[in-house]
């Protein structure tokens, strides 16, 4: 999937972007918790996953 699309998803729907990047893993669960605690932490985590090209 295109990185630009993943970055846009990370900004607007962080858990979706995290799931596309790493699948159902610990990073995905961490992203859900961070997103529930506040939108910004989840967004930053999702962007970090996409930019560093983390894989499951």
């Amino acid at each position: 999937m295109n990185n630009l699309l993943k970055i846009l998803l990370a900004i607007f729907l962080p858990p979706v972007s995290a799931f596309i990047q790493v699948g159902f893993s610990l990073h995905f669960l961490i992203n859900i918790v961070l997103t529930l605690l506040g939108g910004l932490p989840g967004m930053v985590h999702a962007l970090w996953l996409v930019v560093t090209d983390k894989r499951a």
Side-chain angles (χ1 to χ4, degrees), residues 28-54:
F28 173 65
L29 297 174
I30 289 171
N31 190 269
I32 288 176
V33 171
L34 288 173
T35 302
L36 290 175
L37 291 174
L40 187 61
M43 183 189 321
V44 170
H45 182 255
L47 284 170
W48 175 73
L49 290 174
V50 172
V51 171
T52 59
D53 198 31
K54 292 286 183 186

Side-chain angles (χ1 to χ4, degrees), residues 15-32:
V16 174
S17 176
F19 181 75
I20 290 171
Q21 187 68 31
V22 296
F24 191 76
S25 68
L26 183 60
H27 280 293
F28 173 65
L29 297 174
I30 289 171
N31 190 269
I32 288 176

